[in-house]
Amino acid sequence: KNEVEQSPQNLTAQEGEFITINCSYSVGISALHWLQQHPGGGIVSLFMLSSGKKKHGRLIATINIQEKHSSLHITASHPRDSAVYICAVGGVAGGGADGLTFGKGTHLIIQP
Amino acid sequence: GAGVSQSPSNKVTEKGKDVELRCDPISGHTALYWYRQSLGQGLEFLIYFQGNSAPDKSGLPSDRFSAERTGGSVSTLTIQRTQQEDSAVYLCASSLVGTGTEQFFGPGTRLTVL
């Protein structure tokens, strides 16, 4: 079974700061997902990646397959970015079902 | 519809009763997943359907849990003889073709077992 570790568990920052959330996993995967969950809200998929880097607006996600590590960056953070960010990995490399294995999430608070 | 829908949004039941939770995936998505989110365990995988293949039931916590997917579309998760530890938010997600494709989550069903 894949083990997914996220850090930090909690992060409080000031508006405008550059944010980094890290994710490590133990077993080769088919894809890594970054998800966002606002308090009392549903889960939204931010990125799915299997190599390299993806960017969407102020969000950037990178993955290093060899090191089994991914980072989610938020540039020019804003209070509306306050949410729980969840890393999830899907599928063992080379086959297997794609039910996701989740990290415990990073609770991010951006203060004005 | 535009997204994954789930019903009911909230369900309160008494210990020992059976419950059925429904998921309508995005039209055309062949893969459907059930997850649950609880305070103590976080998010965990329950079951995965892909097309007409046999479902992957490896995440179901006990034989009280079962799920079916009729006609490759709507899915129902059934919990028999509910226990208090079954209280959680049950989430459904769908994706276009399964492995390696983006998953879209429904709003969830909040189950409370008294």
Side-chain angles (χ1 to χ4, degrees):
Chain A
K1 182 182 174 182
N2 221 333
E3 301 292 332
V4 181
E5 298 288 337
Q6 277 186 247
S7 63
Q9 292 184 7
N10 295 281
L11 178 57
T12 300
Q14 296 299 120
E15 183 173 356
E17 287 188 37
F18 181 83
I19 303 299
T20 296
I21 300 170
N22 295 298
C23 176
S24 297
Y25 51 94
S26 57
V27 180
I29 59 171
S30 61
L32 183 142
H33 303 246
W34 281 103
L35 310 170
Q36 180 192 57
Q37 187 172 33
H38 281 102
I43 293 176
V44 175
S45 175
L46 298 176
F47 295 103
M48 188 201 69
L49 65 168
S50 55
S51 65
K53 174 180 175 179
K54 287 189 175 181
K55 184 176 188 292
H56 184 252
R58 295 180 295 105
L59 301 177
I60 303 166
T62 64
I63 188 168
N64 185 317
I65 296 296
Q66 287 73 29
E67 295 186 3
K68 297 185 178 63
H69 180 270
S70 176
S71 293
L72 176 69
H73 305 286
I74 305 174
T75 62
S77 59
H78 189 276
R80 64 175 174 268
D81 298 326
S82 298
V84 177
Y85 292 83
I86 303 166
C87 172
V89 298
V92 174
D98 200 31
L100 297 178
T101 301
F102 299 87
K104 295 189 183 302
T106 295
H107 188 192
L108 175 65
I109 297 173
I110 304 297
Q111 296 178 334
Chain B
V4 178
S5 60
Q6 293 186 244
S7 60
S9 55
N10 283 283
K11 177 71 176 179
V12 180
T13 191
E14 294 179 348
K15 178 181 173 181
K17 301 283 190 182
D18 298 352
V19 296
E20 284 189 355
L21 313 179
R22 176 187 167 105
C23 171
D24 284 85
I26 293 173
S27 178
H29 281 194
T30 64
L32 185 147
Y33 312 78
W34 282 98
Y35 302 98
R36 74 175 175 182
Q37 185 173 33
S38 55
L39 283 176
Q41 299 297 322
L43 274 157
E44 55 183 339
F45 163 72
L46 296 177
I47 188 169
Y48 162 63
F49 295 90
Q50 171 57 58
N52 296 321
S53 302
D56 175 5
K57 305 179 182 179
S58 60
L60 295 179
S62 78
D63 59 8
R64 296 185 295 105
F65 288 72
S66 63
E68 62 178 21
R69 188 179 185 193
T70 54
S73 181
V74 172
S75 178
T76 302
L77 177 69
T78 301
I79 309 173
Q80 295 179 311
R81 305 181 303 281
T82 53
Q83 304 294 313
Q84 288 184 332
E85 62 263 28
D86 300 333
S87 296
V89 176
Y90 289 81
L91 293 155
C92 176
S94 70
S95 68
L96 190 59
V97 292
T99 301
T101 56
E102 185 179 9
Q103 295 186 25
F104 297 84
F105 287 79
T109 293
R110 181 174 297 277
L111 175 66
T112 303
V113 181
L114 300 177

